[in-house]
Amino acid sequence: MLKDRGVDVIFGIPGVHNQEMYRGIEEAGIIHVLARHEQGAGFMADGYARATGKPGVAYVISGPGLCNIMTPMGQAYSDSVPMLVISSVLDETEAKRGQLHQMKDQEGAAAAVCDWSVTARTAEASYQLIDRALMQMETGVPSPKHIQVPIAQLEARADAAASRPVDWPVCPEPAPLHCTTLTEQLNAAKRPLFIFGGGASRNVSRWLPHFLRMNAASFTTYAGRGIIPDDSPLHFGATLARAGSADVIASADLVVAVGTRLSEVDLWRDHLGHKAPMVRIDLDHETLSDRHRPETRILADASAHLTESLTAIPDEKQTTWTTKEVAEARARWHMEINTERPGILPVADALKEAAPANTMFYSDMTQFAYAAKEVYPMDRPGHWHHPYGFGTLGYALPAAIGGKIGVGDQPVIAILGDYGFQYTVQELAVAVEMELTLPIIIWDNGKLGEIEDSMVRAQIAPNAVIQRNPDFLKLAEAYGAAAAEPTDLDQFKSAIQTALQTKGPTVIRIKSDIALTNS
């Protein structure tokens, strides 16, 4: 059934309690990727989904298997990533205690970190629930779902599922939306400002030429990077977290936020800063009724609504935004970032020179990524993935593995800190096993640098922030991966280019002072 619905890859780990889910996988023509930990399987499914736009599917056992994948499920829920987790569950848990993998409420535990968690007690129910999950991921706000099947049902005989509908997946052309409200407000505005989030990344080519003709200014969230080309003269970039962005936003006479929650991790302040009327365009009812209180709420697909609204304005629009004020603001914020995080931006520049234009990046919670995701220029959406909302360490390596499996020959690079790498280092074995060409950059400062800095700012004596690292190169070689340790930026660029031509993964360890010691 899953193959019939377009599923080509399943990430997971087999166990006695879910082994029946593995019967027939090869006959169906589905690739199963054996993770080394259920957390890795979940992050791989997340990375695959972000890279391909298709749901990432994961198989886990009952009890600890489900608990282990709950962190990736929470990450996918916070970042609106389509993931389907299918697990086994014990047949009965109330009258019989002490069973292997027993939990009090497995369905309820999973429900805390995903859109919904349900139990399929018959084969027909499982088929219907899978179709419901896939349909909702395709037509609504993408989010993870969990379906659990009692072991006795997994072992029982069952009729095959019905074939997929002829119109599967459902991607209908949107009906006319009659976007007069937004068009009228844009026509009247002299200083319109757009903020684009990850929810606006579909079918950008349909509306982007019309948007550029508007001469409106723009920001993106981190997840929305690349929606507006970074070199567009009226684009402020992914700099909403800069304190000065509030003043820029306050100067607009109309703010249009598209496909974004404008969440804490987008702004790092309580208020966006706008004084003008706000328009929100989103598929998420919660977003349209959040603390930002927009004057105009539009429940619609972002691409469809923008296409119809912007094409209704046929002529180039004159606004009061100037390329000079945008360039000056970006230069000022660039200097702020360089001062806050010395030595990182030159490394990001070197990475940009070494990586092909269509490279897909997966970054972890590390200081290098914190700086790079504000300044690294992106010319296309959906090509820099990060654990934005939940903020999970250990995300990048398994997510990059899933992404690389999804995109095939397209270049993929993982970026991790020395501490976060060790959360999921065991998944390096998967990349080796599958011979994935994957540069894995480890930003090594020998400590939890961001936490140390935060403690110092809070006038707390830094505690428990220094760790003893292994020899990352020998560790990589023990797994069967290539390894490199460049000592200057030219060597770093060369190591990236070599890794992109190497069969199998390459661990590239760079010290956090690489740019400072060679300047």
Side-chain angles (χ1 to χ4, degrees):
M1 181 209 181
L2 290 172
K3 180 66 175 180
D4 186 57
R5 267 60 171 177
V7 175
D8 297 315
V9 182
I10 294 173
F11 304 91
I13 301 177
V16 173
H17 278 188
N18 73 340
Q19 65 186 16
E20 285 294 338
M21 290 157 58
Y22 285 77
R23 190 186 297 276
I25 283 183
E26 292 182 358
E27 291 88 337
I30 292 177
I31 296 170
H32 181 272
V33 178
L34 175 62
R36 297 309 191 260
H37 189 281
E38 287 90 355
Q39 186 177 68
F43 286 145
M44 289 177 198
D46 175 299
Y48 176 88
R50 296 194 201 210
T52 64
K54 298 169 60 177
V57 179
Y59 274 3
V60 295
I61 60 167
S62 50
L66 181 67
C67 287
N68 286 340
I69 204 173
M70 282 172 62
T71 294
M73 290 168 69
Q75 185 62 65
Y77 183 66
S78 71
D79 290 350
S80 298
V81 177
M83 180 194 299
L84 176 59
V85 176
I86 304 178
S87 77
S88 56
V89 65
L90 297 179
D91 301 314
E92 197 284 321
T93 59
E94 291 301 325
K96 187 177 180 181
R97 297 296 186 188
Q99 300 178 77
L100 180 64
H101 301 330
Q102 186 163 12
M103 291 177 66
K104 292 175 65 177
D105 184 1
Q106 184 173 291
E107 181 182 300
V113 288
C114 67
D115 186 26
W116 49 257
S117 171
V118 295
T119 303
R121 302 192 184 281
T122 66
E124 183 58 34
S126 70
Y127 301 150
Q128 291 182 17
L129 290 168
I130 287 171
D131 270 347
R132 180 190 302 172
L134 298 177
M135 184 73 71
Q136 289 178 357
M137 292 177 192
E138 181 65 35
T139 60
V141 179
S143 61
K145 329 284 186 187
H146 168 240
I147 300 171
Q148 59 183 20
V149 186
I151 296 169
Q153 290 300 322
L154 290 174
E155 294 174 345
R157 296 186 63 84
D159 294 330
S163 298
R164 64 177 176 176
V166 294
D167 59 348
W168 186 278
V170 178
C171 299
E173 284 296 312
L177 299 170
H178 307 297
C179 305
T180 54
T181 300
L182 180 57
T183 302
E184 288 173 356
Q185 291 185 68
L186 289 173
N187 276 326
K190 300 297 184 184
R191 201 171 168 83
L193 173 69
F194 281 71
I195 301 173
F196 297 101
S201 60
R202 277 191 184 184
N203 299 317
V204 173
S205 60
R206 291 185 178 183
W207 54 264
L208 183 60
H210 307 290
F211 171 77
L212 296 177
R213 194 180 66 237
M214 288 281 303
N215 288 316
S218 59
F219 285 88
T220 67
T221 65
Y222 299 132
R225 293 165 61 207
I227 290 175
I228 306 299
D230 195 72
D231 58 359
S232 293
L234 294 180
H235 183 48
F236 286 97
T239 51
L240 287 170
R242 296 287 109 196
S245 71
D247 294 331
V248 173
I249 294 167
S251 73
D253 63 358
L254 177 68
V255 175
V256 184
V258 186
T260 171
R261 292 191 175 105
L262 296 176
S263 62
E264 178 189 52
V265 295
D266 293 322
L267 307 177
W268 294 112
R269 59 179 180 267
D270 291 332
H271 192 264
L272 178 62
H274 63 292
K275 299 178 180 177
M278 173 186 280
V279 177
R280 299 290 292 272
I281 305 173
D282 212 287
L283 283 173
D284 187 354
H285 295 79
E286 290 184 24
T287 294
L288 297 179
S289 58
D290 66 10
R291 61 193 171 90
H292 296 289
R293 298 187 178 279
E295 283 75 13
T296 304
R297 299 171 173 87
I298 300 173
L299 182 67
D301 173 76
S303 176
H305 202 85
L306 288 175
T307 301
E308 187 169 343
S309 296
L310 299 180
T311 54
I313 304 174
D315 302 320
E316 182 172 354
K317 183 175 175 60
Q318 300 301 315
T319 69
T320 60
W321 295 105
T322 67
T323 58
K324 180 181 178 182
E325 67 177 308
V326 176
E328 288 178 347
R330 294 196 65 165
R332 183 169 61 255
W333 296 334
H334 192 279
M335 287 189 291
E336 285 182 9
I337 298 166
N338 198 38
T339 301
E340 293 167 0
R341 306 187 188 279
I344 293 181
L345 299 194
V347 184
D349 291 339
L351 179 61
K352 180 64 178 178
E353 292 177 27
N358 65 333
T359 299
M360 186 167 286
F361 295 94
Y362 288 85
S363 60
D364 215 272
M365 302 296 285
T366 178
Q367 288 183 315
F368 180 85
Y370 300 155
K373 63 191 176 72
E374 287 196 76
V375 301
Y376 194 96
M378 303 297 293
D379 64 353
R380 64 199 73 194
H383 276 66
W384 190 298
H385 307 293
H386 186 81
Y388 300 108
F390 216 39
T392 49
L393 280 162
Y395 168 83
L397 174 57
I401 290 171
K404 181 63 177 176
I405 291 169
V407 300
D409 293 335
Q410 183 178 342
V412 174
I413 294 176
I415 300 169
L416 303 96
D418 53 342
Y419 191 77
F421 176 62
Q422 296 177 74
Y423 268 53
T424 50
V425 61
Q426 68 274 9
E427 305 306 342
L428 184 58
V430 180
V432 171
E433 204 167 66
M434 302 192 70
E435 299 183 326
L436 300 179
T437 295
L438 180 64
I440 301 164
I441 300 170
I442 299 178
W443 180 258
D444 187 353
N445 59 8
K447 57 186 176 182
L448 295 169
E450 190 72 7
I451 308 307
E452 181 184 62
D453 292 348
S454 180
M455 285 181 167
V456 170
R457 287 194 298 270
Q459 299 184 1
I460 299 170
N463 190 293
V465 294
I466 306 296
Q467 81 272 1
R468 177 178 176 177
N469 283 330
D471 185 324
F472 289 118
L473 275 66
K474 289 182 179 178
L475 182 60
E477 292 167 0
Y479 273 103
E485 188 171 359
T487 57
D488 61 41
L489 295 182
D490 287 335
Q491 290 181 18
F492 173 61
K493 289 186 284 188
S494 178
I496 293 291
Q497 293 164 345
T498 300
L500 288 169
Q501 300 299 319
T502 299
K503 190 176 185 179
T506 303
V507 171
I508 302 172
R509 173 186 178 260
I510 57 171
K511 293 184 178 180
S512 58
D513 61 356
I514 186 173
L516 301 176
T517 57
N518 292 279
S519 58

